[in-house]
Amino acid sequence: GAGVSQSPRYKVAKRGQDVALRCDPISGHVSLFWYQQALGQGPEFLTYFQNEAQLDKSGLPSDRFFAERPEGSVSTLKIQRTQQEDSAVYLCASSLAGGSEAFFGQGTRLTVV
Amino acid sequence: AQSVTQPDIHITVSEGASLELRCNYSYGATPYLFWYVQSPGQGLQLLLKYFSGDTLVQGIKGFEAEFKRSQSSFNLRKPSVHWSDAAEYFCAVGAQDYGQNFVFGPGTRLSVLP
């Protein structure tokens, strides 16, 4: 597609519920990043893929967070047993390679109630 | 590891006034540097980027930034601010090494007075 697409745009989850957030990167982009942006904060790195390989997951806050990109294109960020502190905007970005220019999606706003 | 600081949390300027947003980074090699803007409820839009070459880079919407290696800075400037420039501005650093991620600063919120 023309840009990075994320779905859903908004998600309300009850505490303890599992959620899955989807990211469709720009076609041909090798690198894919997930960020978490809390209200009033800058984006915080969660994880990074190069094609289907998850090269860095050091930013995932707990083992409740899991990301995958099985075919090197679409990626899913899964959060198990959601907690209120998981409420944030989850941003996905893709780039041709590594640290070159990243293009961001509109984000998914997750609210845990 | 890369890190980015933006010393100013919130800046208010009058419409038509000049603007400078500060950004300092820490990285062991020559970085890729970026400025992004985020309007309320919107995604991140790239304003400009520095990879190499001329240290003064021009971006969209009349913004420019200057890379100063000696000061580890990449400050964003605009000679005359418009009301529509009110937004959150993020400086980010990427690495030239393939496989490295972006690190963002905490952001500077810009308010514009009429």
Side-chain angles (χ1 to χ4, degrees):
Chain A
V4 178
S5 177
Q6 292 186 246
S7 60
R9 286 292 311 278
Y10 303 93
K11 176 69 179 179
V12 178
K14 291 184 178 180
R15 192 169 58 178
Q17 186 179 355
D18 297 348
V19 298
L21 312 180
R22 177 187 170 103
C23 173
D24 280 271
I26 294 173
S27 178
H29 278 195
V30 169
S31 300
L32 185 145
F33 308 85
W34 283 99
Y35 290 85
Q36 180 189 59
Q37 187 176 23
L39 189 64
Q41 304 294 318
E44 296 280 346
F45 170 77
L46 292 177
T47 187
Y48 161 68
F49 289 87
Q50 179 182 314
N51 295 307
E52 69 278 3
Q54 190 174 20
L55 297 187
D56 188 345
K57 55 181 180 180
S58 62
L60 296 176
S62 77
D63 58 8
R64 296 186 294 105
F65 286 70
F66 172 76
E68 60 183 6
R69 193 186 186 197
E71 298 179 357
S73 178
V74 171
S75 177
T76 304
L77 177 67
K78 298 179 179 177
I79 308 173
Q80 297 176 323
R81 305 180 304 280
T82 52
Q83 304 293 317
Q84 281 193 318
E85 61 263 28
D86 300 334
S87 296
V89 175
Y90 290 85
L91 296 167
C92 176
S94 69
S95 70
L96 280 172
S100 65
E101 178 180 349
F103 297 84
F104 283 81
Q106 294 281 69
T108 295
R109 181 178 297 279
L110 173 65
T111 303
V112 181
V113 298
Chain B
Q2 308 100 291
S3 68
V4 179
T5 56
Q6 293 180 248
D8 305 305
I9 296 173
H10 184 203
I11 285 181
T12 300
V13 300
S14 297
E15 191 169 20
S18 63
L19 171 71
E20 182 170 28
L21 303 182
R22 295 182 290 166
C23 171
N24 293 92
Y25 69 90
S26 173
Y27 181 60
T30 301
Y32 291 160
L33 295 162
F34 308 84
W35 275 99
Y36 285 86
V37 61
Q38 186 177 40
S39 298
Q42 300 298 310
L44 290 158
Q45 181 184 21
L46 181 70
L47 285 176
L48 48 76
K49 61 192 176 189
Y50 171 78
F51 284 178
S52 65
D54 192 347
T55 56
L56 183 64
V57 294
Q58 303 296 321
I60 62 171
K61 304 184 180 183
F63 285 93
E64 66 177 26
E66 186 171 11
F67 170 54
K68 293 186 178 180
R69 184 188 304 273
S70 62
Q71 299 177 19
S72 296
S73 69
F74 189 57
N75 295 348
L76 182 72
R77 300 193 294 251
K78 185 169 185 178
S80 178
V81 170
H82 188 263
W83 64 266
S84 60
D85 293 326
E88 191 87 20
Y89 291 80
F90 294 97
C91 182
V93 59
Q96 294 192 9
D97 296 332
Y98 188 79
Q100 299 299 310
N101 70 71
F102 284 78
V103 174
F104 283 84
T108 296
R109 183 161 61 93
L110 173 66
S111 297
V112 180
L113 298 175

